[in-house]
Amino acid sequence: MNILVINCGSSSIKYQVIDPEASEPLAAETIERVGGQGKDHAAALAEVLAAVERFSIAAVGHRVVHGGARFHDACLISDAVVEAIEACTVLAPLHNPANLAGIRAARRALPQIPQVAVFDTALHARLPRRARTYALAQELAEELGLRRYGFHGTSHAYVADLAADYLGRPMNELRLVSLHLGNGASACAIEHGHSVETSMGMTPLEGLVMGTRCGDLDPGVVLALIRARGVDDTDRLLNRESGLAGLSGRGNDFRDIEAAAASGDDSARLAIAVFAHRVRKYIGAYAAVMGGLDAVILTGGIGQNSATLRRRVLQRLSFLGLTLDEDRNTDACVERSHPVADVSAEPSRVRTLVVRTDEERHIALATAAIVGGGTEVRQAGPIPIAISARHVHLDRAAMDTLFGSESQLRELKPLAQPGQFAAEQKVALVGPRGRIEGVRVLGPLRRATQVEIARTDEFTLGVDAPIRRSGELSGSAPITLVGPAGTLNLEEGLICARRHIHMTTADAEAYGVRDGDEVEIRLEGGARDLTFGDVLIRVKDSYKLEMHIDTDEANAAEMSRGASGDLSYSPPVGGATAQLQLKRNQVH
Ligand code: ADP
């Protein structure tokens, strides 16, 4: 499958034709002098299309710099997606308009071919709240979208994947620091496959020293500059005349600065020292953030090519378990055919890997994954979500003990599942450590008494409840129930319910699942998106389509009532069992 990858900048269009199966791109070129005084984006794109006419293009993958808080993954481009990218323009006024011009021109020219947006921000979209929040008044921050987004996500994701492959370890057990050191530079802490910290913030100006960008500054400096020079000058100074170029006074090409430093130029030496120091500082900080470190990845033009810079950054880190091998470092060379070079000394517990980045390839892979590559996405609509508070199901004997002989449940209100209801009656739960009053009884009566609590209730009660599907009570935990007529000591019956989805046979067919399957479900609609793994599918024709999660799970997603999840289907890959994953409610 040939993917046309388009990186449409304000003054140039870079494109490649990539077959993910092939090691080399089939075509790659940059068209300069686009926008401004030059040709417009549509004309430039017409040139691109003429140049790639000989290839049969299955899909177009567009690089988009800023996806704001909206886009967590690459996605198929629709009118609504274009609008949503446009809405992110305030956050990337230089980049997003150019990206959009390319998208619009390509959609007009190739209306039949699926087009995918791949975002620089997507990898960081689920940065933990503590990492994405600036210490500003929250209302103001919310109003103006002042938060950290992070960039270079395509590069960090790509090199992290290659590093995990090289190390032969699953991504979900690795703690990586990825350093993209190019003209733009950023660090990213990737813990178990997730970006948990990254050095660029609301804009790509924060963090490391870059070619012409200053990186971290006391905001007081910005204020002083604005007072002295005005806003526009300050903007230009910080974005275009600072960083390595500002410090060295010799432009932003690291090779020139290294040559000048070698011949004794003090400004060039200072530029390199400040650059390297900043990178080192971030490595230490990110090791602390993740509580440990398995590998450091260096990539980007400088990270891949400058052995002296790598040495400067990585010396004296043996206290972290990281030791560089001088010879390997000097000899390291990464190419498309061998993109990873291990420059660690043998006893080094933390590996240091030089990895060749390839953002275009990452975009091609992401695009192929979305439009095909054997993955069929079955959209059968969102699934309503019900949040179950702790509750109790009683059998006849328990009802007699707790509420009196022959007592009946009185219906308070019906539940979504046909025939089920919340009863007026409540009981208290008593554990070795504490007591929870007012726990609702659900009706009708069942064959066995079952108490379902959330994890946090365990602390209150002082019990450990196993995670079980409803009705699987053998070996579950003991608990005491107290009702108005008596007390019941259960030997077993206390569980933490496994999250599950009720559906009919017809629903199951529509989603392509079967009773007992485990799926991934992505929840959206709360303040925080969340993907739940091991969600059990329960099929019965008397059920109504509904996902049940407990209050802890709902709290984790900060969801309120009425939210919904989506389920989509990808067929087995490489002999693995059928894998269901929930797609976020995409912007259609
Ligand atoms: P971008 O972030 O624009 O993609 P690159 O990743 O291409 O930038 O990195 C460009 C930087 O890499 C430049 O500063 C360049 O001088 C530096 N660089 C490229 N080759 C070498 C080299 N052999 N030694 C030192 N620096 C290099």
Side-chain angles (χ1 to χ4, degrees):
M1 180 194 309
N2 296 336
I3 310 287
L4 171 60
V5 174
I6 295 182
N7 180 353
C8 196
S10 51
S11 60
S12 69
I13 296 186
K14 292 185 194 159
Y15 73 87
Q16 290 193 8
V17 178
I18 295 176
D19 174 0
E21 305 280 307
S23 54
E24 298 285 326
L26 307 175
E29 212 190 315
T30 302
I31 298 189
E32 308 276 2
R33 284 186 293 281
V34 179
Q37 309 295 321
K39 52 180 102 57
D40 67 14
H41 283 89
L45 202 87
E47 273 182 44
V48 173
L49 295 178
V52 303
E53 213 169 13
R54 64 206 152 100
F55 302 103
S56 114
I57 302 289
V60 184
H62 293 270
R63 175 190 184 210
V64 180
V65 167
H66 216 308
R70 188 74 177 265
F71 294 100
H72 294 198
D73 282 310
C75 73
L76 212 52
I77 297 176
S78 63
D79 291 345
V81 167
V82 170
E83 255 172 54
I85 295 173
E86 197 148 33
C88 300
T89 293
V90 281
L91 297 166
L94 296 180
H95 295 99
N96 274 27
N99 304 156
L100 275 168
I103 289 174
R104 290 208 173 93
R107 289 183 86 208
R108 261 196 307 272
L110 304 169
Q112 308 303 334
I113 295 184
Q115 317 231 352
V116 170
V118 183
F119 299 91
D120 281 17
T121 47
L123 176 71
H124 314 294
R126 288 175 214 122
L127 272 182
R129 212 154 61 127
R130 60 183 177 271
R132 68 169 191 248
T133 305
Y134 289 119
L136 296 170
Q138 284 301 283
E139 237 170 72
L140 179 73
E142 193 111 326
E143 184 190 326
L144 300 178
L146 310 177
R147 51 158 281 187
R148 313 187 63 252
Y149 292 99
F151 298 87
H152 279 155
T154 46
S155 178
H156 290 303
Y158 184 76
V159 295
D161 274 342
L162 285 183
D165 272 0
Y166 171 83
L167 296 169
R169 292 177 60 187
M171 186 68 101
N172 64 14
E173 62 179 43
L174 286 172
R175 286 167 298 187
L176 307 170
V177 171
S178 168
L179 303 166
H180 178 110
L181 311 177
N183 221 345
S186 74
C188 182
I190 302 176
E191 184 176 356
H192 300 180
H194 298 283
S195 166
V196 293
E197 250 297 2
T198 190
S199 59
M200 285 176 168
M202 184 176 91
T203 73
L205 191 52
E206 191 180 346
L208 303 181
V209 176
M210 302 176 225
T212 62
R213 285 173 252 163
C214 57
D216 293 337
L217 277 185
D218 174 352
V221 174
V222 183
L223 297 176
L225 277 171
I226 290 175
R227 284 192 197 106
R229 298 288 182 83
V231 175
D232 292 343
D233 261 13
T234 301
D235 187 325
R236 198 193 62 247
L237 277 169
L238 299 181
N239 275 297
R240 300 187 196 278
E241 294 173 17
S242 299
L244 291 169
L247 279 168
S248 71
R250 287 179 173 268
N252 62 343
D253 192 311
F254 200 71
R255 284 164 291 202
D256 297 343
I257 299 170
E258 281 193 322
S263 61
D265 182 311
D266 192 53
S267 301
R269 288 183 174 176
L270 179 65
I272 293 172
V274 175
F275 180 89
H277 172 75
R278 185 85 50 91
V279 177
R280 259 177 92 73
K281 204 164 83 169
Y282 270 90
I283 296 173
Y286 286 3
V289 162
M290 295 187 288
L293 186 60
D294 298 298
V296 172
I297 303 167
L298 292 113
T299 191
I302 301 171
Q304 287 169 210
N305 295 305
S306 176
T308 45
L309 186 276
R310 290 196 296 262
R311 186 179 318 114
R312 203 177 273 275
V313 166
L314 297 166
Q315 67 196 347
R316 295 188 301 118
L317 291 182
S318 46
F319 74 97
L320 276 179
L322 183 157
T323 319
L324 200 65
D325 182 300
E326 291 287 340
D327 293 337
R328 287 182 180 175
N329 181 47
T330 309
D331 297 343
C333 170
V334 287
E335 300 283 346
R336 212 185 286 280
S337 54
H338 49 97
V340 180
D342 191 337
V343 296
S344 335
E346 256 344 298
S348 184
R349 185 183 54 74
V350 174
R351 310 308 291 181
T352 303
L353 305 176
V354 179
V355 182
R356 181 183 181 280
T357 193
D358 192 340
E359 291 164 90
E360 287 75 18
R361 193 168 171 79
H362 181 83
I363 293 172
L365 292 170
T367 302
I370 287 208
V371 300
T375 303
E376 176 203 354
V377 175
R378 271 196 224 170
Q379 286 284 359
I383 296 168
I385 290 170
I387 305 165
S388 319
R390 61 181 87 91
H391 63 267
V392 171
H393 300 279
L394 298 177
D395 61 15
R396 184 65 256 170
M399 188 73 198
D400 288 348
T401 310
L402 295 167
F403 294 98
S405 180
E406 295 307 310
S407 55
Q408 295 299 324
L409 286 175
R410 293 182 301 277
E411 179 168 335
L412 175 70
K413 60 172 187 196
L415 300 176
Q417 294 308 315
Q420 306 289 305
F421 60 90
E424 283 175 15
Q425 285 95 333
K426 294 178 184 173
V427 295
L429 301 181
V430 183
R433 186 151 157 248
R435 180 179 173 111
I436 299 177
E437 299 290 343
V439 178
R440 182 75 59 193
V441 177
L442 302 190
L445 293 178
R446 291 199 176 178
R447 260 181 310 181
T449 296
Q450 172 174 318
V451 180
E452 299 179 35
I453 61 170
R455 276 271 177 261
T456 38
D457 296 335
E458 292 184 332
F459 291 98
T460 315
L461 296 170
V463 293
D464 286 323
I467 298 205
R468 292 291 173 79
R469 75 182 278 176
S470 183
E472 264 180 8
L473 299 179
S474 142
S476 58
I479 186 73
T480 299
L481 282 66
V482 181
T487 296
L488 175 67
N489 292 309
L490 282 181
E491 279 301 306
E492 58 184 27
L494 179 71
I495 63 169
C496 202
R498 242 179 109 173
R499 42 187 174 253
H500 55 274
I501 301 173
H502 292 281
M503 56 172 71
T504 62
T505 321
D507 292 328
E509 253 166 43
Y511 287 107
V513 293
R514 280 183 298 195
D515 187 53
D517 278 354
E518 280 181 17
V519 299
E520 272 189 12
I521 287 289
R522 175 150 189 80
L523 299 194
E524 226 185 41
R528 295 160 77 188
D529 296 345
L530 195 63
T531 302
F532 283 120
D534 40 81
V535 180
L536 188 71
I537 297 288
R538 301 183 54 189
V539 181
K540 209 188 253 182
D541 279 329
S542 59
Y543 285 153
K544 180 167 174 288
L545 182 66
E546 194 171 63
M547 173 168 180
H548 287 182
I549 55 176
D550 69 23
T551 42
D552 283 354
E553 290 162 335
N555 286 342
E558 289 183 27
M559 35 191 333
S560 49
R561 285 171 197 287
S564 62
D566 253 341
L567 182 65
S568 65
Y569 176 71
S570 9
V573 184
T577 49
Q579 205 188 62
L580 280 123
Q581 67 182 40
L582 190 86
K583 298 287 275 192
R584 253 169 332 98
N585 292 345
Q586 284 174 331
V587 194
H588 290 296

